[in-house]
Amino acid sequence: VSYHHIVVDEAQDMSPVTILVISSSAAPKAPVTLAGDTAQRLSLDSGFGDWSALLQVTRIKANVLPPLAISYRSTQQVMTLAREILGPLAPEIATQDARDGAPVEHLCFDGVGEAVLFLTDALNGLRDRERGATVALISRTPEVADLYYSGLKRADVQGLRRVREQDFSFRPGIDITDIYQVKGLEYDYIVALEVTETHYPASDESRHLLHVLATRAAHQLWLLSTQTPSPLIPERYRDGA
């Protein structure tokens, strides 16, 4: 089977071999188009470096779509933080951010129990005000997601859903999951769970993961930590940490 045009989306998370195999299905002289945002990489061990290196290694003739020049999903406040998290990995040309929004907040607690009590009040209040809101509590690991789900479930927070294997309902409510589940999705409100030095140390992988997590937020983003905050959190958000 050969195709007259192949478009590969999210190509930045594919290995060169995978992209080569997909591209080989194109008919002779048929166009191949690659799309993806290198800042949104979830995996750093796929062998993908950058677009130029990819095309050189695979020797395929492909058109690479440029990233969007204007960010419509997230607010200026969220995108500013996301670029700072990327640091030296940020693209040279920054996107224009179309919308103003609420400030990003860093919430520090002495323990998970205290954090759960705060989230219980905040989530119940949000549910009363905005029945149609979509909310996600996102951790780096499934274990942290399980911990917060159990605590909020015991606190009788309504509308909780523990998402483990891409089983999203895409309905208003509160999804609790890990970062590897939410690529390409967006929520009105995001709580980044345990943005700590343990879970997000100063590494390229952590920069990419936390950037992807932050940019899931359409309206508002909270960073939550109960231990030493991640060094990737800019200093101005760390007051009182």
Side-chain angles (χ1 to χ4, degrees):
V1 178
S2 60
Y3 299 93
H4 295 292
H5 188 184
I6 292 178
V7 179
V8 183
D9 196 13
E10 303 290 353
Q12 77 280 355
D13 277 323
M14 297 181 182
S15 70
V17 171
T18 300
I19 294 176
L20 180 60
V21 170
I22 294 173
S23 301
S24 66
S25 298
K29 297 184 178 180
V32 175
T33 302
L34 304 178
D37 183 352
T38 55
Q40 297 279 333
R41 293 169 65 190
L42 285 178
S43 175
L44 298 188
D45 58 3
S46 65
F48 177 94
D50 56 45
W51 296 119
S52 297
L54 174 70
L55 297 180
Q56 183 176 5
V57 168
T58 59
R59 296 184 180 180
I60 63 174
K61 294 181 179 179
N63 302 306
V64 178
L65 294 181
L68 295 175
I70 300 177
S71 171
Y72 291 99
R73 177 172 56 217
S74 300
T75 63
Q76 296 175 18
Q77 289 78 3
V78 169
M79 291 307 298
T80 295
L81 171 69
R83 281 192 290 269
E84 290 184 79
I85 287 170
L86 279 179
L89 306 180
E92 293 183 7
I93 301 176
T95 58
Q96 300 178 38
D97 306 320
R99 294 186 293 114
D100 191 23
V104 174
E105 295 189 44
H106 178 210
L107 309 173
C108 301
F109 301 97
D110 291 332
V112 172
E114 182 180 335
V116 166
L117 285 175
F118 174 86
L119 289 173
T120 297
D121 290 339
L123 294 172
N124 285 337
L126 178 61
R127 181 176 175 83
D128 291 340
R129 296 191 308 273
E130 299 183 41
R131 290 282 177 175
T134 57
V135 184
L137 279 60
I138 306 174
S139 64
R140 180 159 184 173
T141 67
E143 291 77 15
V144 170
D146 285 339
L147 181 63
Y148 276 85
Y149 177 77
S150 297
L152 292 168
K153 192 74 173 176
R154 287 195 300 270
D156 202 29
V157 174
Q158 300 300 302
L160 290 178
R161 296 183 292 258
R162 175 68 178 92
V163 178
R164 292 183 172 85
E165 298 292 339
Q166 301 285 318
D167 49 339
F168 295 96
S169 66
F170 301 103
R171 298 196 309 269
I174 305 164
D175 289 340
I176 304 181
T177 189
D178 62 87
I179 182 59
Y180 296 98
Q181 303 293 317
V182 297
K183 183 68 178 293
L185 302 183
E186 68 176 64
Y187 289 83
D188 296 323
Y189 301 93
I190 293 288
V191 180
L193 298 173
E194 298 299 344
V195 186
T196 64
E197 188 173 35
T198 298
H199 293 287
Y200 297 96
S203 68
D204 288 355
E205 182 179 24
S206 292
R207 288 184 185 277
H208 280 293
L209 292 175
L210 197 51
H211 176 270
V212 171
L213 194 164
T215 53
R216 299 312 91 203
H219 298 301
Q220 191 166 11
L221 170 67
W222 286 352
L223 310 175
L224 184 152
S225 57
T226 63
Q227 298 176 4
T228 302
S230 168
L232 302 181
I233 299 176
E235 194 65 35
R236 68 180 181 281
Y237 295 100
R238 296 163 65 89
D239 292 342

